[in-house]
Amino acid sequence: MGKKTEDLIAEVAEPIVAARGLELVDVEYNKEGENWILRVFIDKEGGVSLDDCQEISRSLSDSLDANDPIENSYLLEVSSPGIDRPLKTEKDFKRFTGKLIDLSTYAPINGQRKLTGELLGLEDGEIKIKIDDQEVAIPRDKIAQTRLAIEF
């Protein structure tokens, strides 16, 4: 089986994003209505600007046209990950240790599929969080999604 479209795009996008001092957070490729949408999420300390997004969009579009990794036509969107940023890499889990996160699992854990707690870290393939003064370790392969929680 070949690489997923998102992985192919990430390989093209990563050096373009890094060369401008930005971080590639995530790549999504989904069909929405009649259109395929390619979303590339970028970030930097202090947040990204519209200029950052436009610059990456132009450079990435040129590179994707040259490499042509996607068969069908699509719309390219480059944006910030938002305040509920997804956590995907080991670097993310280190950077956001101590922050409140929302975590959803494929199957219930202690009767729940959605958990919110303080991120304690990623260790031995498990994400450790603190919920109500209790430490919970969840194997990473059981987790569907992890995002920063929106705190009010």
Side-chain angles (χ1 to χ4, degrees):
M1 189 171 107
K3 286 188 179 180
K4 284 177 39 181
T5 299
E6 289 91 340
D7 295 335
L8 293 170
I9 301 306
E11 286 176 10
V12 174
E14 181 65 42
I16 292 168
V17 172
R20 285 160 184 79
L22 300 165
E23 172 189 3
L24 179 65
V25 175
D26 200 8
V27 175
E28 294 177 354
Y29 183 63
N30 298 306
K31 186 157 180 135
E32 295 181 11
E34 296 292 310
N35 299 313
W36 281 92
I37 310 288
L38 174 60
R39 287 192 181 90
V40 176
F41 297 95
I42 59 173
D43 205 3
K44 70 178 177 189
E45 199 67 41
V48 294
S49 67
L50 184 57
D51 288 343
D52 291 328
C53 293
Q54 289 173 332
E55 189 176 330
I56 295 300
S57 182
R58 274 192 297 275
S59 298
L60 184 55
S61 184
D62 291 346
S63 186
L64 290 172
D65 288 346
N67 290 311
D68 203 20
I70 301 177
E71 292 175 17
N72 41 324
S73 61
Y74 58 90
L75 301 171
L76 173 64
E77 295 179 4
V78 177
S79 69
S80 146
I83 57 174
D84 62 340
R85 167 194 174 128
L87 304 182
K88 296 199 168 222
T89 65
E90 283 190 36
K91 186 174 153 188
D92 288 341
F93 289 102
K94 281 185 183 141
R95 177 176 169 189
F96 295 106
T97 294
K99 299 285 186 192
L100 196 63
I101 62 167
D102 291 327
L103 191 138
S104 58
T105 59
Y106 294 112
I109 293 179
N110 299 333
Q112 294 183 295
R113 288 188 56 215
K114 296 195 181 305
L115 306 165
T116 299
E118 178 189 342
L119 176 62
L120 300 175
L122 173 65
E123 197 176 302
D124 300 324
E126 293 183 324
I127 294 175
K128 296 182 190 257
I129 61 174
K130 184 163 70 173
I131 303 171
D132 300 326
D133 293 326
Q134 188 175 0
E135 189 174 311
V136 180
I138 303 157
R140 203 165 171 189
D141 62 357
K142 306 279 186 225
I143 297 171
Q145 189 176 65
T146 307
R147 293 185 166 278
L148 287 177
I150 300 172
E151 297 185 67
F152 296 98

